[in-house]
């Protein structure tokens, strides 16, 4: 694709932000507070709106229920709109309730399963009030010991629970079903991989799609292959972008392995799935434990844009020609040429064409916003992961 055509595609790209990136977060050892951190969902949306103001590509914000519980979701949605963003995906939470020690949607006790299903009724109500159409379910269920529970029975109970949630969806809504190969359980997760997620989505129907969280794979997994496979069957619903170095570290996407992010975006572009109407929602799922949060999100967005720009610049005709001719190194070279291109000037041009500063990171630093929130947001309780 020519740089001019790449600019057109980049102009339409959107990246959804997670509300929890703007609260305090940490490890199981320590949560470090930071000055000026948002104290409630309203302030989280204001912070997300700053990312959108400086990048121009992040108009939507994912909420996590109950972390983002408020009395009046109409008011929250209006506040989002006033700030310049909208509410995107609603994430359910099945991992912070004592009753879920042995599982939620898979639990052997029908009363616990009912409670977990009912939580999704609450999330769907939030969706109706906020105009959200995506319900993201990450199932934290699993077992720690062989024999602890019947693996097959858990799958059957899961299928039944998911069917009940699916039946509650409005016609324009969809379930995005996430997988994760380990944690919080370590012997067997109940949705450990894309195959299991896909099997459940296929059983549910057209309104169920798979979420690929880039941090949820074993080291060395070829994630772009999974992208190809899910796109082939029309079931890639969304990404949760982040970077993992060892485990599910939730670090800044593209920070440790920008080449992996490029390879993923290359398959997205090759399948023409970057288009806003492709049905693939590009979200961040990250926490900023030691770095400042709004700049951390800006950096993440820029990393995704750079990987996307490089993927768009791949000479697809030359690539196909080399592949057909069996020119192994020629084909590889076409990809590497695109990856080696410095796309920062192209992205600067994109931002200027939208009336933005070419360097969002520096523009935010100059804005004085960070100092202002540190000064003004005193008192109250800072939002925190799990709060
Ligand atoms: C689980 O590790 C996960 O990726 C899910 O998407 C959760 O909703 C999110 O992290 C919480 O940060
Ligand atoms: Mn995730």
């Amino acid at each position: 694709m020519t740089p001019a055509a790449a600019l057109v595609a980049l102009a339409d790209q959107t990246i959804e932000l997670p509300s929890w990136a703007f609260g305090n977060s940490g490890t199981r050892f320590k949560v470090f507070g930071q000055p000026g951190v948002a104290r409630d969902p309203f302030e989280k949306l204001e912070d997300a709106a700053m990312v959108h103001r400086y990048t121009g590509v992040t108009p939507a914000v994912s909420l996590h229920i109950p972390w983002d519980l408020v009395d009046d979701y109409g008011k929250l949605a209006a506040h989002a709109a006033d700030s310049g963003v909208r509410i995107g995906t609603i994430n359910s939470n099945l991992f912070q309730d004592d009753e879920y020690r042995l599982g939620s949607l898979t639990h052997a006790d029908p009363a616990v399963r009912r409670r977990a299903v009912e939580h999704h009724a609450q999330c769907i109500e939030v969706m109706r009030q906020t105009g959200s159409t995506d319900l993201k379910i990450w199932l934290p269920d699993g077992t720690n010991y062989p024999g602890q529970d019947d693996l097959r029975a858990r799958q059957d109970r899961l299928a039944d629970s998911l069917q009940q949630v699916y039946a509650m969806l409005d016609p324009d809504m969809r379930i995005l079903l996430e997988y994760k190969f380990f944690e919080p359980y370590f012997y067997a997760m109940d949705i450990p991989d894309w195959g299991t997620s896909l099997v459940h989505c296929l059983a549910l129907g057209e309104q169920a799609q798979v979420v690929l969280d880039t941090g949820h794979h074993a080291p060395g997994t070829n994630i772009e292959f999974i992208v190809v496979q899910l796109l082939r069957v029309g079931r890639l619903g969304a990404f949760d972008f982040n970077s993992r170095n060892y485990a599910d570290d939730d670090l800044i996407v593209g920070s440790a392995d920008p080449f992996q992010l490029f390879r993923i975006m290359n398959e997205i572009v090759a399948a023409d799935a970057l288009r806003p109407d492709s049905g693939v929602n590009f979200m961040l799922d990250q926490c900023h434990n030691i770095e400042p949060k709004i700049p951390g999100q800006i950096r993440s967005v820029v990393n995704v844009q750079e990987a996307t720009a490089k993927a768009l610049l791949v000479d697809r005709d030359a690539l196909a020609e080399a592949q057909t001719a069996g020119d192994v190194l020629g084909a590889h070279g076409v990809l590497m040429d695109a990856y080696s291109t410095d796309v920062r000037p192209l992205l600067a041009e994109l931002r200027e064409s939208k009336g933005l500063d070419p360097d969002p990171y520096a523009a935010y630093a100059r804005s004085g916003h960070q100092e202002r929130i540190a000064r003004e947001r005193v008192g109250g309780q800072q939002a925190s992961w799990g709060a």
Side-chain angles (χ1 to χ4, degrees):
M1 185 180 283
T2 63
L7 271 180
V8 175
L10 288 165
D12 280 346
Q13 184 179 28
T14 60
I15 300 159
E16 186 166 318
L17 306 180
S19 69
W20 51 100
F22 303 101
N24 284 326
S25 56
T27 65
R28 64 199 170 89
F29 298 103
K30 171 73 180 159
V31 172
F32 294 104
Q34 294 184 19
V37 161
R39 293 163 297 178
D40 56 36
F42 291 86
E43 290 183 347
K44 290 184 200 172
L45 287 171
E46 288 163 25
D47 289 353
M50 294 306 289
V51 178
H52 186 44
R53 177 181 302 181
Y54 290 99
T55 64
V57 295
T58 61
V61 186
S62 290
L63 300 187
H64 221 294
I65 308 297
W67 299 344
D68 295 315
L69 265 191
V70 294
D71 292 337
D72 185 343
Y73 278 97
K75 200 168 147 199
L76 190 68
H79 187 69
D82 290 346
S83 307
V85 290
R86 66 182 153 76
I87 291 170
T89 305
I90 300 299
N91 294 252
S92 63
N93 184 318
L94 298 170
F95 50 93
Q96 288 180 308
D97 198 321
D98 283 337
E99 283 201 77
Y100 297 153
R101 187 171 61 93
L102 300 179
S104 59
L105 296 173
T106 65
H107 201 288
D109 181 347
V112 179
R113 294 206 299 280
R114 200 171 316 118
R115 180 188 175 92
V117 168
E118 273 307 303
H119 169 55
H120 292 87
Q122 177 194 24
C123 291
I124 289 170
E125 202 39 51
V126 172
M127 291 165 73
R128 292 192 181 113
Q129 288 172 32
T130 55
S132 165
T133 54
D134 284 352
L135 172 65
K136 178 139 69 75
I137 304 177
W138 169 59
L139 187 79
D141 295 15
T143 47
N144 269 350
Y145 297 100
Q148 177 189 325
D149 196 4
D150 183 320
L151 296 181
R152 177 160 177 169
R154 291 176 76 86
Q155 288 299 307
D156 294 343
R157 297 192 290 254
L158 173 60
D160 180 68
S161 300
L162 286 173
Q163 188 55 57
Q164 291 180 51
V165 176
Y166 190 82
M168 295 190 281
L169 296 179
D170 292 342
D172 63 338
M173 292 179 176
R174 54 183 191 161
I175 284 178
L176 299 176
L177 193 60
E178 191 169 347
Y179 59 91
K180 182 174 182 179
F181 80 115
F182 81 110
E183 193 190 48
Y185 297 96
F186 297 95
Y187 166 63
M189 290 294 284
D190 291 313
I191 308 186
D193 50 36
W194 66 274
T196 306
S197 177
L198 180 61
V199 163
H200 284 287
C201 287
L202 291 172
L204 289 171
E206 291 291 324
Q207 286 168 258
Q209 302 205 304
V210 179
V211 181
L212 189 162
D213 182 313
T214 48
H216 290 185
H217 305 87
T221 300
N222 185 329
I223 295 177
E224 58 271 28
F225 177 82
I226 301 171
V227 172
V228 167
Q229 206 54 293
L230 290 174
L231 286 172
R232 268 188 79 234
V233 293
R235 294 286 178 150
L236 179 60
F239 283 98
D240 266 6
F241 278 137
N242 52 58
S243 167
R244 69 183 288 288
N245 210 32
Y246 294 102
D248 182 27
D249 307 323
D250 284 344
L251 303 177
I252 290 178
V253 59
S255 53
D257 191 351
F259 187 49
Q260 180 187 62
L261 184 58
F262 163 75
R263 299 193 312 265
I264 290 171
M265 295 313 295
N266 176 50
E267 296 303 339
I268 289 289
V269 170
D272 195 22
L274 188 64
R275 287 177 297 102
D277 61 351
S278 72
V280 182
N281 191 12
F282 300 87
M283 303 185 269
L284 303 179
D285 176 9
Q286 300 180 179
C287 295
H288 303 288
N289 301 348
I290 56 169
E291 67 275 27
K293 294 161 198 306
I294 297 172
Q297 288 285 283
I298 292 175
R299 176 84 243 172
S300 312
V301 170
V302 168
N303 286 357
V304 175
Q305 284 185 299
E306 288 184 2
T308 307
K310 291 177 185 206
L312 287 165
L313 290 180
V314 170
D315 184 337
R316 305 260 153 215
D317 293 338
L319 183 63
E321 203 176 308
Q323 288 173 342
T324 310
D327 180 358
V328 175
L329 292 181
H332 178 61
V334 171
L335 271 197
M336 295 313 291
D337 276 349
Y339 180 66
S340 306
T341 308
D342 182 359
V343 293
R344 289 173 298 181
L346 188 70
L347 289 169
E349 199 180 326
L350 172 76
R351 295 187 188 109
E352 279 171 332
S353 74
K354 291 184 168 202
L356 299 170
D357 191 290
D359 182 346
Y361 194 79
Y364 175 72
R366 278 197 312 273
S367 73
H369 180 260
Q370 198 70 41
E371 294 76 9
R372 186 171 67 74
I373 55 178
R375 210 169 44 240
E376 291 178 359
R377 289 180 183 168
V378 288
Q381 178 82 36
Q382 292 189 328
S384 188
W385 190 90

